[in-house]
Amino acid sequence: MSLPLPPTVKGATAVERLANMDLELPALAANAYYVDHNQVGESIYISGQLPFKDGVLLGQGIVGRDVDLETGKELARHAALNCLAAAVQALGDLDKVRVVQMLVFVASLPDFGLQSKVAEGASELLIEVLGENGRHSRTAIGVAGLPLNTPVEIQMVCTAAS
């Protein structure tokens, strides 16, 4: 059973919804060792994205120790936005993106237990921007550490919306 979509989703394009949220898709920095996405058949595999904005990592530390839950959710939103930018690289249009699955890594203390709440920040963004195409299966997992000491990293699988 799906919850109803937010009212902001109806009647606007995904880019318009992003603009209404004062957000835009970032440009992703190229890397010599991996690509931001790889398409195999209908599936688009998005490399793990960190919460960068304008080339700056927005946070560091461990959720539940150095980073509070609300900040963790906001960092997850930024990482998901970077995933969407990679999906648009593959598909050329944000309205064509359908998120199939999302894996959220949360650097957290062993007894934190709220990794899924951190992941909700990313899930909410995807549904606000993409509507039904943003609904996805999801795994949120706690880890001891992530690259650059970031609190959140997100990996996605997308496809073209029909």
Side-chain angles (χ1 to χ4, degrees):
M1 180 173 112
S2 293
L3 296 173
L5 293 173
T8 57
V9 169
K10 297 179 173 107
T13 68
V15 172
E16 290 169 340
R17 289 188 288 271
L18 263 182
N20 289 338
M21 298 164 65
D22 290 324
L23 295 172
E24 60 183 40
L25 290 179
L28 300 177
N31 189 296
Y33 301 103
Y34 66 89
V35 294
D36 288 312
H37 70 275
N38 209 344
Q39 189 163 354
V40 178
E42 299 286 321
S43 298
I44 301 158
Y45 298 87
I46 308 296
S47 294
Q49 298 292 321
L50 306 182
F52 276 103
K53 182 178 181 182
D54 299 326
V56 175
L57 187 62
L58 296 178
Q60 290 185 308
I62 302 295
V63 180
R65 184 184 72 198
D66 313 310
V67 177
D68 65 30
L69 176 61
E70 288 307 311
T71 302
K73 287 177 73 170
E74 187 61 30
L75 294 170
R77 288 174 66 86
H78 280 281
L81 190 62
N82 290 333
C83 287
L84 288 179
V88 169
Q89 284 179 350
L91 295 171
D93 182 352
L94 188 57
D95 284 308
K96 292 181 181 176
V97 176
R98 179 174 169 258
V99 180
V100 176
Q101 195 246 357
M102 181 171 65
L103 177 57
V104 181
F105 298 94
V106 181
S108 53
L109 297 171
D111 62 348
F112 177 65
L114 297 174
Q115 291 83 2
S116 63
K117 293 291 185 188
V118 173
E120 284 176 8
S123 293
E124 289 167 358
L125 175 86
L126 295 174
I127 293 167
E128 289 171 19
V129 173
L130 301 175
E132 282 300 325
N133 289 331
R135 293 196 194 273
H136 53 275
S137 62
R138 182 184 82 194
T139 301
I141 183 169
V143 297
L146 290 167
L148 304 176
N149 195 29
T150 186
V152 179
E153 181 174 6
I154 296 180
Q155 176 184 340
M156 275 185 200
V157 177
C158 301
T159 190
S162 50

